[in-house]
Each structure stands twice: as C-alpha cells, then as structure tokens.
Amino acid sequence: MKCTGVVRKLDELGRITLPIELRRNLGVGDKDPLEIFVDEDTILLKKYNPADIFTGEMDDLIEYKGKKISRASILRLAEIAGLNISE
C-alpha cells in the first residue's frame, strides 16, 4: 500500500472528502460508486466495477433484478437446468 501523505478529518456525520488529485488519478468521478473493504484496522476504498455474481467476470453482463450475470453463466445455468439453448 502506498502512502499519499493526505490526512483528512471526519465531519460530524462521519464523512471525508477525497482530494481532487486523488480522484483524478484513480478515475473516480462525481457520484461514482465506491466499495468499502475492511482488513483489521485498515479501511480500503475501491472504485466499484459490477461483476457476475457467480464467477466475478466483468464482461458481457446482463442485469436481472438488480444483479449482474454474464451471458456465459446464463448459458451454463440453462445447461444445468436441462434447457437446450442455441446462441
């Protein structure tokens, strides 16, 4: 992990502001979703990239009821269900 030397205080609602230089370098824009991870005493923010809920793949995704599923997973599930689907 690389130290940026940036220190920020939480406001009364527990919010912090990410410096514009950091957002630009990481390609984070206004209203972009961020994932929050915790590892012992470390909080890690990562730009959220949707992925297939079964495999973690990030290509060729379809959204169904708020979940992302790749076409490959859909075809595999159809195969498991005994459905014969041609592409």
Side-chain angles (χ1 to χ4, degrees), residues 34-47:
L34 299 175
E35 283 186 283
I36 303 170
F37 298 91
V38 177
D39 182 19
E40 294 183 17
D41 64 346
T42 302
I43 299 170
L44 180 68
L45 298 176
K46 180 181 176 189
K47 187 172 179 179

Side-chain angles (χ1 to χ4, degrees), residues 3-10 16-17 19:
C3 180
T4 63
V6 175
V7 176
R8 291 285 192 257
K9 290 185 180 181
L10 293 176
I16 61 168
T17 302

Side-chain angles (χ1 to χ4, degrees), residues 2-28:
K2 185 168 85 173
C3 180
T4 63
V6 175
V7 176
R8 291 285 192 257
K9 290 185 180 181
L10 293 176
D11 70 8
E12 61 278 354
L13 296 176
R15 299 175 296 196
I16 61 168
T17 302
L18 298 177
I20 189 71
E21 307 85 36
L22 191 58
R23 288 182 275 145
R24 284 182 183 148
N25 287 341
L26 298 174
V28 176

Side-chain angles (χ1 to χ4, degrees), residues 8 14 20 25 32-33 38 47-49 52 59 61 63 78 82:
R8 291 285 192 257
I20 189 71
N25 287 341
D32 280 352
V38 177
K47 187 172 179 179
Y48 173 71
N49 288 315
D52 182 304
D59 297 322
L61 299 177
E63 186 168 335

Side-chain angles (χ1 to χ4, degrees), residues 71-85:
R71 290 182 189 277
S73 287
I74 292 169
L75 291 172
R76 179 66 182 125
L77 288 169
E79 181 183 312
I80 292 169
L83 302 174
N84 186 9
I85 298 178

